[in-house]
Amino acid sequence: MRKILSMLIVLTFMALLSVPVSARNCGRIRHRHSNVTHTHSACVGDRHKHGRSFWQKHRDKLTTAGGAGAGALIGGIAGGKKGAAIGALAGGGGAAVYTYGIRKRRRGARY
């Protein structure tokens, strides 16, 4: 029963995440690079990469989760289940302090 339920959940996610061909949204896209504005034709859903990557969109959350995971791993090796919980809290807290407090938000242009 458990295998069937997990298979149904996976298939449901796969069906929801697939983008049908009819969902293509064609038109003119306008974006800026510092002082220059570009306008070009493109279709959303045409397998071309538009906008920011997954890492760029979720960098703060991924950095915090990575810190929590690393802390849990080190704490689990050192102190078992209780050590893993403490390590996850310490690692997640330290990564959050770095991400939301210390790390610079803006960087200069690289070109």
Side-chain angles (χ1 to χ4, degrees):
M1 182 67 182
R2 197 170 179 182
K3 287 184 180 181
I4 294 171
L5 182 62
S6 57
M7 184 73 91
L8 286 173
I9 291 172
V10 168
L11 289 174
T12 304
F13 280 126
M14 287 176 61
L16 291 174
L17 293 176
S18 65
V19 179
V21 176
S22 61
R24 290 176 56 164
N25 191 8
C26 298
R28 303 207 40 90
I29 294 176
R30 187 174 180 192
H31 59 96
R32 291 183 57 131
H33 295 286
S34 65
N35 294 335
V36 180
T37 302
H38 298 280
T39 304
H40 58 89
S41 297
C43 293
V44 176
D46 61 357
R47 296 187 182 164
H48 290 287
K49 188 175 177 182
H50 299 286
R52 300 181 298 160
S53 68
F54 184 83
W55 171 256
Q56 290 169 334
K57 290 178 187 175
H58 304 290
R59 178 179 177 180
D60 295 344
K61 296 171 200 72
L62 291 172
T63 304
T64 305
L73 181 68
I74 294 170
I77 292 171
K81 290 181 181 179
K82 187 174 180 182
I86 294 170
L89 289 173
V97 166
Y98 167 74
T99 300
Y100 296 108
I102 298 172
R103 181 175 56 87
K104 291 183 181 179
R105 292 286 177 191
R106 300 281 179 180
R107 294 180 185 254
R110 295 185 182 179
Y111 48 89

